Amino acid sequence: MQLALPQLAGHLQQHGLPPLLSVFGDTPLLVDDALQIIRQFARSQGIDERERYIQDSQFDWRQLAEQSASLSLFSQHRLLELELPEAKPGREGGDALRNYFSAPPPDQTLVIIGPKLKNEQLKAKWYQQLSQAGPVIQANSPDRASLPRFIDQRSARYNLALGPDAVQLIADWFEGNLLALDQELQKLALMDLPQPVAAAEIQQAAQDQSRFSVFALQEAILAADVDNALHRLQRLFEEDIEVAILNWMLQREWYKLQRLQQGLAGGGDLSTLFRREGIWRNQEASYRQFVQRMQGAPLSQAADLLRRLELAFKRDSGERVQTLVTHLVVLYCRPDLAVRFTAS
């Protein structure tokens, strides 16, 4: 049985805690949400004992059978969590899991935790038996069309009301990074802002803190405002911004440009392509100009710089991260100013 995360709490209330269930997803925040729902329900049923295992180089699959055979010292029922970081139990693990699934102990609930599964993993024998033996909760990031609803639901959790323009702004800033989105909502909830909070108030709050976020940098890039973009980039460097976050934003814009240009080459209409990419109406003019100025050589040059940037901060290739990022920002804003420089 496949369950979406919003269905989990209701399913547990209606059917109780099953002997076996699993949580798979591409978003740690939502995977943790699912686990918190399961743990809270278990506590409400008087289940206080919980064991957690991670399949790593030290994990022995015999522990699964040993835990099943041992009696709980503290309660009549026990919650056992087993995380498969890569969802690849191997032959020994697959056998151990299938044996467990065939006859799960009645005084124990096993929760299997893992990442979003690939097609080959969905076809594996252990997963096929798992999906038949208990509910499978999908904890994946919402797509762009569903993101505003997710933001409204998440903000309600913190007693925070957002105006439509604020929801759009947060969706644009935090698409693909739900953990940062959730942290931003919690921060806004602690501020004494008039509700519903408007986009202008969120931007003003950021300015009052004298911090330029990576999303403010993105706005300057879209506006082709190279001076402002470089100023904001310098502030990010001064604040020791994580390179991975900068890389994520710069890569996201590149892939968006690539898909838009491919759609145009295939005879697509930009307005339709914008909707497909989740680009807001008030951003369309900026993206039209962005697509135009990055056609041909600039997009290829950006791809090369992004490749070198990953090598620089992940494998210490010897090139300076700040130089590569700065060149990318100038290229995105003003390809005519960007000078292709050779790899060191």
Side-chain angles (χ1 to χ4, degrees), residues 17-21 42 45-51 64-81 100 103-111:
L17 197 63
L20 176 69
L21 69 164
Q45 303 301 304
I47 302 172
D48 298 321
E49 187 175 354
R50 176 169 62 90
E51 298 282 345
L64 190 60
E66 291 170 358
Q67 275 288 349
S68 304
S70 66
L71 296 174
S72 171
L73 299 177
F74 304 103
S75 62
Q76 295 181 339
H77 201 97
R78 173 172 49 199
L79 194 64
L80 182 64
E81 298 175 355
Y100 185 98
D107 60 346
Q108 182 170 282
T109 291
L110 174 63
V111 184

Side-chain angles (χ1 to χ4, degrees), residues 71-318:
L71 296 174
S72 171
L73 299 177
F74 304 103
S75 62
Q76 295 181 339
H77 201 97
R78 173 172 49 199
L79 194 64
L80 182 64
E81 298 175 355
L82 173 59
E83 181 178 353
L84 310 179
E86 298 182 1
K88 295 179 179 179
R91 178 176 297 179
E92 181 185 2
D95 291 341
L97 289 172
R98 288 196 298 273
N99 289 334
Y100 185 98
F101 301 157
S102 63
D107 60 346
Q108 182 170 282
T109 291
L110 174 63
V111 184
I112 303 290
I113 308 157
K116 184 178 181 180
L117 300 180
K118 300 177 181 178
N119 287 335
E120 60 268 23
Q121 293 167 315
L122 294 172
K123 296 175 183 177
K125 291 182 179 179
W126 70 269
Y127 177 76
Q128 291 292 319
Q129 191 167 348
L130 169 66
S131 61
Q132 296 173 7
V136 178
I137 297 93
Q138 302 294 337
N140 297 318
S141 180
D143 58 24
R144 183 58 185 259
S146 305
L147 192 54
R149 177 184 295 181
F150 174 85
I151 293 171
D152 277 330
Q153 294 171 343
R154 202 80 186 179
S155 59
R157 174 183 295 196
Y158 305 122
N159 296 316
L160 175 68
L162 299 173
D165 59 341
V167 171
Q168 289 190 6
L169 178 66
I170 290 175
D172 185 57
W173 280 6
F174 294 99
E175 180 187 10
N177 193 344
L178 292 191
L179 180 59
L181 188 155
D182 187 66
Q183 292 172 342
E184 183 69 13
L185 292 177
Q186 292 185 56
K187 182 181 72 175
L188 290 171
L190 294 174
M191 295 180 180
D192 189 20
L193 298 173
Q195 298 197 32
V197 180
E201 291 162 341
I202 295 176
Q203 292 172 324
Q204 183 61 45
Q207 291 174 3
D208 288 345
Q209 296 170 26
S210 298
R211 294 177 62 89
F212 287 112
S213 70
V214 69
F215 311 106
L217 172 60
Q218 178 204 25
E219 290 177 351
I221 288 173
L222 282 179
D225 187 346
V226 66
D227 291 336
N228 201 13
L230 291 176
H231 173 62
R232 294 180 180 190
L233 179 62
Q234 180 60 33
R235 292 291 296 275
L236 288 171
F237 285 143
E238 291 171 356
E239 294 171 2
D240 294 324
I241 181 72
E242 291 186 28
V243 179
I245 295 176
L246 273 173
N247 183 61
W248 163 78
M249 185 274 288
L250 294 168
Q251 278 193 350
R252 187 181 72 159
E253 293 305 304
W254 188 90
Y255 282 115
K256 194 177 295 183
L257 288 171
Q258 183 193 46
R259 290 191 296 268
L260 289 171
Q261 292 187 5
Q262 287 177 343
L264 283 173
D269 173 69
L270 258 185
S271 296
T272 303
L273 295 171
F274 285 155
R275 288 195 296 272
R276 186 182 302 169
E277 290 296 322
I279 292 172
W280 305 113
R281 190 174 297 277
N282 61 357
Q283 294 178 315
E284 289 186 2
S286 296
Y287 270 105
R288 285 181 187 274
Q289 295 173 5
F290 199 9
V291 169
Q292 185 175 3
R293 68 177 180 264
M294 290 297 292
Q295 285 182 343
L299 194 67
S300 299
Q301 185 179 351
D304 179 62
L305 287 167
L306 285 166
R307 177 187 62 79
R308 290 158 59 186
L309 176 59
E310 283 219 6
L311 290 175
F313 81 88
K314 289 184 178 180
R315 300 185 184 179
D316 194 19
S317 66

